[in-house]
Amino acid sequence: MSTEEPSDETVVETAADAAEDVIFSRYKQSAVRDFDVTVRFEEGMLEVDVYLNAPEDDRDLEQVADDAALAARRAVDDLFGE
């Protein structure tokens, strides 16, 4: 078993993929007008920002964005085995 830590690129991709998965689990891709997932991983610190522009129906856009950011953080924790 390798004790190597994941690369910064792997961390960023993992976080971004997890956030996108949450967004598109809640909305059809065609319903999302715009979204942006910004992930920064520097010196062991992870920052995730999610912007979402989608129809406001029964879902709270801010909550979906928060859930996406949380999923990104959890995915990175899993990547590091935490």
Side-chain angles (χ1 to χ4, degrees), residues 25-70:
S25 74
R26 310 268 176 96
Y27 293 101
K28 289 182 180 181
Q29 193 167 2
S30 61
V32 175
R33 295 181 191 113
D34 190 23
F35 78 99
D36 183 53
V37 177
T38 303
V39 180
R40 288 176 291 285
F41 184 69
E42 297 173 352
E43 299 179 14
M45 296 295 295
L46 179 70
E47 289 183 44
V48 180
D49 295 309
V50 178
Y51 162 78
L52 177 61
N53 181 350
E56 293 185 46
D57 51 12
D58 61 331
R59 297 172 191 93
D60 178 10
L61 289 177
E62 191 171 318
Q63 185 63 53
V64 174
D66 289 347
D67 290 349
L70 183 59

